[in-house]
Amino acid sequence: MKSTYSLEQVSLIIRYAWEDRTTFEEIEQRTGLVEKQVVEVMRRELKPSSFRMWRKRVSGRVTKHRRLLERHLSGPSIEE
Amino acid sequence: MQNAIHRNADVLVIGAGMAGLSAAAALRKAGLEVLVLDKGKQIGGRMATRRVGGATFDHGAQFVTARDPRFAALLEEAQTAGVAVEWCRGFTPEADGHKRWRGTPGMSALANFGSIGLEIVQEKQVAAVSLMGDHWLIRMADVEIYSAGAIILTAPVPQALVLLEAGGIQLEQALKTRLSAIQYERCLAVMAVLKGPSLMQAPGGFAPTHGPIAWIADNQLKGISDEPAVTIHATDAFSVAQWDQNRDETARVLLSAAEKWLGVGIKSFQIHAWRYSKPKQTDPLRCAVVSLSPPLLLAGDAFAGPRVEGAALSGWAAAEAVIHATRPVQNL
Ligand SMILES: Cc1cc2nc3c(=O)[nH]c(=O)nc-3n(C[C@H](O)[C@H](O)[C@H](O)COP(=O)(O)OP(=O)(O)OC[C@H]3O[C@@H](n4cnc5c(N)ncnc54)[C@H](O)[C@@H]3O)c2cc1C
């Protein structure tokens, strides 16, 4: 992928990506980048060890994924 | 000073119905400072009770059921406090044995019980919610501005969306589509004081299967009214068709349709229009996360089930999200 983002955009994406409570859905809303693209930016911009640390931190973290969080909060559904 | 911040709160809960009250109580228990706002004169939202002389009417929610253990425990607590009692185990012709609770003296008593220890500002209508840096600004219809670190918004979903739009909050597309699909039934509710006891049988509730009436309840048989008094709920179809017609005439149409259950003359009547009575679809999730940094959650009966219990479960889920979002992060 060619780097089509400005320096400011890249640093903003990295900041959002590291924020524990900015969901990928919000990042998409703010930057237009879906999760996969954010991961690509992070892979390209970070040192491999930092990238791995970031991946470990965000994968499966419910506050990073709106749908995961909503499901986590929903518990078993009540039947009619 | 038009733009000065009138009040600050850690968490602002919009709406003092079952969802908002449950959320606020859970947040308070977690040690957060919470302020609840409601545009109504009374708290409770659709859990509403009205007095007309010696007559008492539940004109919104009629009874409460519990399937969830946490909600069942809350009702037990309310019973111990003397504000909830069992009404019945179902209605003829097919009583299903499932327990129906009512508030005592009326449904609003349950809301009042739920509001104990909470700070609530009544008759305060929110007009817009917007983002300012890392907190929310809430503009009131009377132009006052509040600020909050987190918001739980429990107005019916279409109204909630209007408040967000008015403040320029953009929802991510998938969420927008999901929330825009939520629609509500309407319900015209007639409250009539009767000249004598009605012809209805104990326990005093009945759901006709056809005609303009969806539900009729005798509040005296129910045990909440000294004088004979009935609540009549029109069907969604009838309510929609009659919405813009003269309300007194509509009430008369409903009263004559109810004649066979009343059998006596009418002393006086009132009508209340519920624009958002019950959600037609409910969202499969218990609340909607609009944002987590800072937190903005949507909750209410459109999420966890179209009833009082669902509203409580939704409020609790939203409170949990706010608690997660304000605590130091740990892996969940
Ligand atoms: C006619 C009828 C019969 C029903 N029967 C039953 C029943 O038998 N059993 C049952 O379990 N459920 C019943 N329900 C449904 C039940 O009442 C609801 O599911 C439940 O009360 C919803 O609670 P809530 O907190 O989600 O919403 P609400 O109770 O509607 O609370 C929302 C609150 O937000 C406030 N608000 C809205 N907009 C603003 C604003 N801009 N600024 C400030 N405040 C605002 C409103 O004033 C309201 O108090 C019935 C409902 C109706 C209308």
Side-chain angles (χ1 to χ4, degrees), chain B residues 11 21-34 70 73-74 77 116-118 316 319 323 327:
Chain B
V11 189
L21 294 172
S22 306
L27 290 165
R28 214 182 103 96
K29 214 167 152 193
L32 292 168
E33 179 234 334
V34 194
R70 182 172 176 187
L74 179 70
E77 228 180 277
I116 293 173
L118 299 176
W316 285 331
I323 292 163
R327 272 204 192 122

Side-chain angles (χ1 to χ4, degrees), chain B residues 203-257:
Chain B
F206 181 66
T209 47
H210 47 267
I213 298 176
W215 170 260
I216 175 164
D218 182 316
N219 294 291
Q220 194 177 35
L221 286 171
K222 186 178 183 179
I224 67 166
S225 182
D226 292 336
E227 272 190 56
V230 293
T231 299
I232 299 167
H233 286 161
T235 60
D236 175 52
F238 181 85
S239 302
V240 170
Q242 296 296 309
W243 199 255
D244 298 320
Q245 305 303 314
N246 179 293
R247 292 270 154 88
D248 274 7
E249 279 165 28
T250 302
R252 283 196 184 86
V253 173
L254 288 165
L255 285 166
S256 67

Side-chain angles (χ1 to χ4, degrees), chain B residues 14-21 37-40 42-47 59-65 107 124-127 153-156 159 163 187 189 233 274 276-279 299-302 305-312:
Chain B
I14 301 170
M18 195 60 190
L21 294 172
L37 300 182
D38 198 292
K39 67 180 179 185
Q42 251 136 39
I43 63 161
R46 281 170 274 164
M47 297 176 73
H59 58 293
Q62 296 294 294
F63 54 82
V64 181
T65 49
M107 291 299 281
K124 191 55 93 181
Q125 179 166 0
V126 174
L153 178 48
T154 72
Q159 293 183 316
L163 300 182
C187 178
H233 286 161
W274 297 103
Y276 299 98
S277 83
K278 280 177 212 162
D301 66 340
R307 57 188 85 84
V308 174
E309 179 182 31

